[in-house]
Amino acid sequence: MADQWQNAMDHAVAIAQKAGEVVREALRGDRKVMTKSSSIDLVTQTDQKVEQLIIQSVKERFPAHRFIGEESVAAGEPCDLTDQPTWIIDPIDGTTNFVHAFPFVAVSIGFCVDKKVEFGVVYSCLEDKMFVARRGRGAFCNGEPLKVSDQEDIKRSIVVTEFGSNRDPDAVDRIFSSLRKIVCLPVHGVRSAGTAAINLCLVASGSVEAYYEIGIHVWDIAAGSLMVTEAGGVLLDVEGGDVDLMSRRIVAANNRAVAGQIFRQLDAFSPPRDDALPSHE
Ligand SMILES: O=P(O)(O)OC[C@@]1(O)O[C@H](CO)[C@@H](O)[C@@H]1O
Ligand SMILES: [Mg+2]
Ligand SMILES: [Mg+2]
């Protein structure tokens, strides 16, 4: 059966590749660093340039489609996901890594219809790895099919998480309390790539068993979340219920056995939702 979103997905892959060239070119020069919600929430002119490159290219081909872009929201655009075809864009996921030339920098493009992710594209620019997933048709990296790990014991697993950019004392205490409980299970290891999109692709690739974080945004996880489920993994909320892409909370795992051993250790809290008014953190 013809796939009505194939043209859009092909465009997403092509523009992610082009955006990756812009990112690599920018890495060869100086990067003008600015801040958003705090001194450690960084943004550069390259983030803004890449987001505009993606959005303008989509508008030319799909004028009725809508957008949720990280830097557009930061500039005051609404973060409202409707049933309309919507491109959810993180032009550079891992801006801090980009500023420091730490080699995990991704262009993340998710595409939703009726609030369901229909395809996801995550381009790891410095590794030159193009991760793609189409709902119901699998997930791939540079054309090779992805499959999650078959490990069921958390004590034989690697868990990925991030410290985020929220330095509110209560949030930091909860983040470290959760981390301590996970580390002391014990697990084989804890890792951080510094980008949710690549963390999710690591779960989909079977390189790690799970990733959890509280504080991410919908643009960080929309594309990568489909990578995980199409590779056979599961997505949960940090308190065990269904994942809600606008809640800023996620547990992504290879299976429910591992996911269950994770969320029971977490000291959960609820940041302001992405679709909450008036401001976005
Ligand atoms: O602002 P960016 O670079 O688009 O994304 C922020 C981010 O890299 O920071 C978190 C690490 O704390 C990740 O989960 C998330 O993807
Ligand atoms: Mg991001
Ligand atoms: Mg970003």
Side-chain angles (χ1 to χ4, degrees), residues 28 52 129 138 169-170 179 205 243 253 263:
R28 287 192 273 273
Q52 283 315 307
K129 286 183 177 178
D170 177 61
L179 182 62
S205 305
V243 73
F263 79 75

Side-chain angles (χ1 to χ4, degrees), residues 36 47 70-71 90-95 219-220:
K36 293 191 288 190
D47 295 76
E70 176 180 7
E71 308 314 335
D90 190 340
I92 298 183
D93 190 39
T95 298
W219 45 80
D220 294 316

Side-chain angles (χ1 to χ4, degrees), residues 36 41-42 70 90 92-96 162-165 194-197 199 211 213 216 219-220:
K36 293 191 288 190
D41 183 10
L42 309 183
E70 176 180 7
D90 190 340
I92 298 183
D93 190 39
T95 298
T96 302
E162 302 280 348
F163 303 120
S165 56
T195 140
N199 290 336
Y211 160 63
E213 188 172 352
I216 34 90
W219 45 80
D220 294 316

Side-chain angles (χ1 to χ4, degrees), residues 69-255:
E70 176 180 7
E71 308 314 335
S72 304
V73 170
E77 290 292 317
C79 184
D80 299 329
L81 185 57
T82 67
D83 290 343
Q84 298 304 308
T86 305
W87 297 66
I88 303 181
I89 301 163
D90 190 340
I92 298 183
D93 190 39
T95 298
T96 302
N97 292 350
F98 170 68
V99 166
H100 291 269
F102 186 77
F104 296 106
V105 178
V107 176
S108 182
I109 302 173
F111 179 74
C112 284
V113 181
D114 297 333
K115 298 189 178 72
K116 282 204 288 289
V117 184
E118 285 294 338
F119 66 72
V121 171
V122 174
Y123 181 46
S124 179
C125 314
L126 307 187
E127 297 179 287
D128 192 22
K129 286 183 177 178
M130 183 67 75
F131 293 89
V132 300
R134 177 75 180 85
R135 193 159 64 88
R137 303 190 186 200
F140 302 84
C141 176
N142 291 352
E144 293 300 316
L146 297 178
K147 185 181 172 306
V148 294
S149 158
D150 56 12
Q151 181 57 251
E152 299 219 335
D153 183 351
I154 187 74
K155 295 182 174 65
R156 297 168 182 260
S157 298
I158 290 183
V159 176
V160 178
T161 192
E162 302 280 348
F163 303 120
S165 56
N166 182 347
R167 292 300 178 262
D168 166 79
D170 177 61
V172 172
D173 287 347
R174 288 172 182 270
I175 288 167
F176 277 87
S177 162
S178 300
L179 182 62
R180 177 177 167 58
K181 284 184 271 187
I182 294 285
V183 164
C184 296
L185 281 172
V187 294
H188 273 183
V190 176
R191 303 287 185 271
S192 300
T195 140
I198 290 180
N199 290 336
L200 289 163
C201 291
L202 288 168
V203 175
S205 305
S207 307
V208 304
E209 277 68 35
Y211 160 63
Y212 73 89
E213 188 172 352
I214 298 178
I216 34 90
H217 293 280
V218 61
W219 45 80
D220 294 316
I221 61 171
S225 65
L226 189 68
M227 241 43 90
V228 170
T229 53
E230 286 301 319
V234 296
L235 303 172
L236 294 180
D237 175 59
V238 292
E239 291 184 89
D242 292 344
V243 73
D244 172 350
L245 293 181
M246 305 299 265
S247 69
R248 302 188 58 198
R249 313 185 336 166
I250 192 167
V251 175
N254 57 332
N255 54 52

